[in-house]
Amino acid sequence: MGFLKALLVAVFALDPYFSHAETAPNYSFVHESTTAPPVSYHDYIVVGGGAAGCPLAATLSETANVLVLERGGSPYRNPGKTDKGNFLLTLLDPSPDSYAQIFITEDGVYNYRARVLGGGTVINAGFYSHAETEFVKESGLDEALVNDAYQWVENKVVFKAPLLQWQTAVRDGLLEAGVLPYNGFTNEHINGTKIGSTIFDMNDHRHSAADLLEYADPKNIIVYLHATVTKILFTTQTVGSRPRAIGVIYEDAMGEKHTAYLTNDSKSEIIVSAGAIGSSQLLMLSGIGPRSQLEPLGIKVVIDQPMVGQGMANNTLNGLFIPSPNPVELSLLSTVAISLLVNYIEAGSGLNLAPSFGWISKFLISILDQVFTCNFIPIHMCFFF
């Protein structure tokens, strides 16, 4: 399990702002959940096939029977949709089966949740970085295993980010502004200005966590798409003992319910990797959370955990958009700045907001109008975050 823990820090594209390999893999073990049996048994049940769930499932399948339940669809069904040039189109897609699901927070802020195999690595800006060294140490992880996990991921889906005209100008501007030192190209998380890696290849095709399932043993793994887990099942072996997870209930795209149970192996586990929001939501629906919130909703309390679902907050964001009357080269994140105050400066360019995009222009206006009023003419743009 040490390697699995180390693997969790080797996830990528940490900026939540798309997965198409040059040749989309033909996974024999990926199926629609409508084909799932009413009841099944597995050594491991992974809820959520995202940045953590996919590599974990692939590794576990080397020695165990693994089930992955993903509420979204396949990133390979529409080749090119997640290419770099379609970044905004895919992120802002409002269709029912889009890869990104929009939601509005209680305080009125627009945001997005991934809803696709590969998770956030299918809809974000594609920047790859290692975890902070301090985080690895404080987590008690084996640094050698962490480095092995990085290499495991990088061999499959990571590429050196190109440094073209716009990103070069960003680098020079950051250095002139005093964001020092200049660290050149590095995947390490260190203060200053640096050039990093990306999960977009040289042809601007996206590679994601879903690609890491190529490492899986097809005899030992099954992935169901459009499988929404609604509840974790628990049992207590003796009176007063701590409840133990024994299975999950999930619904397919037709609304039919299925039950997946763990085998009797003492090492069997249910791994909840459904994202910060989805994981907390599922735990609370299953009876693990603040009693004061669950009981009024008629949810039976399994474990009173007051902190589940609490303290949720998104990163603060200030954006600077620079319009251009002429086409600008396409780039997402290559140059980044990390300050001593743990602030981040990132920039992209060439995202064309032409009128032919139709709804996307109107939708972007509605988001921008939350912060300021603008007379918006769809044109070529560069942006800083």
Side-chain angles (χ1 to χ4, degrees), residues 14 35 44 47 55 67 78 106 114 118 126 144 154 176 179 189 196 227 243 273 283-284 322 347 353 370:
L14 304 174
T35 66
Y44 290 93
V47 181
L67 171 67
N78 186 358
E106 292 180 347
E154 290 163 11
E176 184 176 343
V179 186
H189 184 98
S273 54
L283 289 173
M284 295 177 75
I322 305 172
L353 304 179
Q370 295 181 88

Side-chain angles (χ1 to χ4, degrees), residues 119-160:
T121 64
V122 182
I123 65 170
N124 55 23
F127 191 75
Y128 173 91
S129 180
H130 292 173
E132 294 179 79
T133 303
E134 292 77 8
F135 169 80
V136 174
K137 292 179 179 178
E138 291 174 3
S139 301
L141 297 172
D142 185 317
E143 293 185 52
L145 286 177
V146 169
N147 290 328
D148 285 345
Y150 288 147
Q151 190 63 49
W152 189 82
V153 170
E154 290 163 11
N155 285 341
K156 192 68 181 173
V157 299
V158 178
F159 308 86
K160 186 174 181 178

Side-chain angles (χ1 to χ4, degrees), residues 95-113:
S95 65
D97 197 32
S98 66
Y99 298 161
Q101 179 185 18
I102 188 171
F103 68 96
I104 305 175
T105 65
E106 292 180 347
D107 49 359
V109 177
Y110 281 77
N111 211 321
Y112 304 88
R113 297 171 60 185

Side-chain angles (χ1 to χ4, degrees), residues 203-249:
N203 294 316
D204 290 341
H205 297 317
R206 180 187 293 270
H207 298 251
S208 77
D211 292 7
L212 297 175
L213 288 173
E214 287 196 27
Y215 288 125
D217 185 339
K219 301 186 299 298
N220 291 335
I221 187 173
I222 187 165
V223 178
Y224 286 129
L225 302 175
H226 300 109
T228 302
V229 179
T230 58
K231 188 176 184 179
I232 303 172
L233 302 174
F234 294 90
T235 187
T236 52
Q237 296 175 337
T238 59
V239 177
S241 65
R242 187 176 180 84
R244 181 178 182 272
I246 60 170
V248 300
I249 297 174

Side-chain angles (χ1 to χ4, degrees), residues 3 16 19 33 81 90 107 189 254-255 320 341 365 374:
F3 177 75
S19 147
S33 56
K81 181 177 180 179
T90 300
D107 49 359
H189 184 98
M254 302 302 293
L320 173 63
L341 299 176
I365 292 174
C374 61

